[in-house]
Amino acid sequence: MTGDEYAQLGEDIQDAIGAVIQETAPAAKVLTEDPVNIDESLWVGSLKSGEDLDAEGQKRIHAWILTFVAPDDPDSSTVRSIEPAFVYRVQVFYSHDVGSEKRIRDEVLKVQFALAQNPKLEVVGVNKHTQLRIRLRLGKMRGASGDVIVHRGDGSLSVEMQPIAVR
């Protein structure tokens, strides 16, 4: 495996995780780059989904953000190989309103279940991954038109690979 192929592998895994999330939560916006800016009012709008409207017909904040955090290349018992693990940060944002706590809780549980059913993530060489752990809490964000209350979740997922020969 070359360095370019190794880098592509990290992207392929990220895309596979994103596809599971998007399939399980089709109304959500799934982002593979973090739109965060120090000034929340500049990026909170990028978390609104055109597929999820509130009672007034306005776009609701409903997004999952999946970003690469770190690689971990543990030693392998196979000569001239590595057994990498890729760690991804998973964040979820959802507008707070009546019934929103149940909706986002159910969605997070469904995403966790879908990932658990797909341990190899349809990527060649994936051996297994850890369970997605998300901690949900209420938070206040500054939007362009004032403060917005959202359910905000943060977690991580580690994907382990089979031994990969290095050249």
Side-chain angles (χ1 to χ4, degrees), residues 9 12-14 16-17 84 86 88 118-129 158-164:
L9 182 59
D12 292 345
I13 292 168
Q14 185 173 0
I17 296 167
F86 296 100
Y88 297 89
N118 196 355
K120 300 214 174 180
L121 294 172
E122 311 298 326
V123 177
V124 174
V126 170
N127 192 30
K128 66 179 180 175
H129 59 76
S158 177
V159 179
E160 297 175 17
M161 302 297 295
Q162 298 169 359
I164 297 172

Side-chain angles (χ1 to χ4, degrees), residues 78-153:
T78 308
V79 177
R80 295 188 51 87
S81 70
I82 57 174
E83 293 180 32
F86 296 100
V87 180
Y88 297 89
R89 180 178 185 198
V90 182
Q91 299 174 79
V92 62
F93 296 85
Y94 193 76
S95 293
H96 175 67
D97 60 20
V98 175
S100 60
E101 185 172 344
K102 179 183 181 334
R103 289 192 305 271
I104 192 58
R105 179 198 64 215
D106 290 353
E107 183 172 284
V108 167
L109 291 172
K110 288 175 185 176
V111 167
Q112 287 175 321
F113 188 77
L115 285 166
Q117 287 182 307
N118 196 355
K120 300 214 174 180
L121 294 172
E122 311 298 326
V123 177
V124 174
V126 170
N127 192 30
K128 66 179 180 175
H129 59 76
T130 60
Q131 176 68 10
L132 171 62
R133 293 191 175 128
I134 295 251
R135 180 176 179 256
L136 284 170
R137 63 194 186 285
L138 278 176
K140 181 169 55 172
M141 299 174 71
R142 288 189 332 263
S145 59
D147 289 343
V148 182
I149 304 297
V150 296
H151 298 278
R152 189 174 194 163

Side-chain angles (χ1 to χ4, degrees), residues 14 18 21-22 28-36 43 46-48 62-67 89 91 93:
Q14 185 173 0
I21 293 170
Q22 190 68 77
K29 181 183 267 190
V30 178
L31 304 170
T32 55
E33 291 183 14
D34 198 335
V36 174
W43 63 271
S46 65
L47 302 177
K48 292 187 176 186
H62 187 181
W64 289 76
I65 302 173
L66 175 65
T67 51
R89 180 178 185 198
Q91 299 174 79
F93 296 85

